[in-house]
Amino acid sequence: MISKTIEKALNEQINAEFWSAYLYLSMSCRFASMGYKGISNWFKIQHREEMDHAYMMIDYLIRRGGKVSLDPIAEVPAGWETPQEAYAETLQHEQKVTSMINALYAAAEAEHDYATRQMLNWYVAEQVEEEDSVQDILDSLMRIGSDATGLYQFDLEQAKRTYTPAGGQND
Ligand code: OFO
């Protein structure tokens, strides 16, 4: 049986994962409406991965006998003007999520909840991956600057991203 402290912390993280999913869906919609189909695709896949992150934690909480609370999702921003702006915000957001996962990990350790700590290892590794891939994209965008042909090519590249269910989640 999971402790009330960890149950609460996991429910907060589940809400945060849904918020991330909603944030990236907002970015996907924004870039679709600006004609950047590839960038919209990249953010839509990011959205689906975040949903998986939430589902994985929900499954875990249920398996441990915890109670899932699906709290309201706070409003997300909208209206990014450039890809650079949205990806910079993505990196900032992922850095914040990394600190949240670290805090959760520390809470699991403090409670001697080694099963939760073990489950969180997947998220710790995922955050390294998330920050690294967004940093790579920002580096490319830095080189492209406002070059229209470069941005066109970049959009085509982003269109190639495909969805793979995270952590064995089914679509
Ligand atoms: Fe769930 O990794 Fe991004 O936020």
Side-chain angles (χ1 to χ4, degrees), residues 21-88:
Y22 212 37
L23 172 70
Y24 297 135
L25 185 59
S26 178
M27 289 179 177
S28 176
C29 294
R30 172 66 175 158
F31 287 100
S33 67
M34 288 169 83
Y36 287 108
K37 288 191 174 143
I39 296 173
S40 173
N41 169 66
W42 193 94
F43 281 114
K44 191 180 279 178
I45 290 170
Q46 193 72 7
H47 156 76
R48 297 175 83 185
E49 287 193 355
E50 297 299 349
M51 296 296 288
D52 287 345
H53 299 172
Y55 295 149
M56 286 162 64
M57 225 170 251
I58 285 173
D59 287 349
Y60 172 78
L61 188 50
I62 292 170
R63 281 171 54 221
R64 292 289 311 281
K67 182 169 171 281
V68 176
S69 327
L70 294 177
D71 298 327
I73 312 295
E75 191 179 356
V76 292
W80 298 271
E81 293 301 334
T82 61
Q84 282 89 341
E85 210 184 297
Y87 283 103

Side-chain angles (χ1 to χ4, degrees), residues 131-163:
E131 288 190 31
D132 183 49
S133 66
V134 181
Q135 184 62 63
D136 283 352
I137 290 173
L138 276 171
D139 291 344
S140 301
L141 284 171
M142 180 79 86
R143 285 191 290 274
I144 292 166
S146 55
D147 177 65
T149 312
L151 278 173
Y152 174 73
Q153 289 296 340
F154 175 82
D155 190 53
L156 292 180
E157 276 305 307
Q158 302 306 85
K160 292 181 191 159
R161 184 179 186 192
T162 54
Y163 169 68

Side-chain angles (χ1 to χ4, degrees), residues 17 20 24 46 50 53 93-94 97 123 126-127 130:
E17 298 293 342
S20 299
Y24 297 135
Q46 193 72 7
E50 297 299 349
H53 299 172
H93 177 63
E94 289 305 327
V97 174
Y123 290 84
E126 172 69 8
Q127 285 310 119
E130 294 265 46

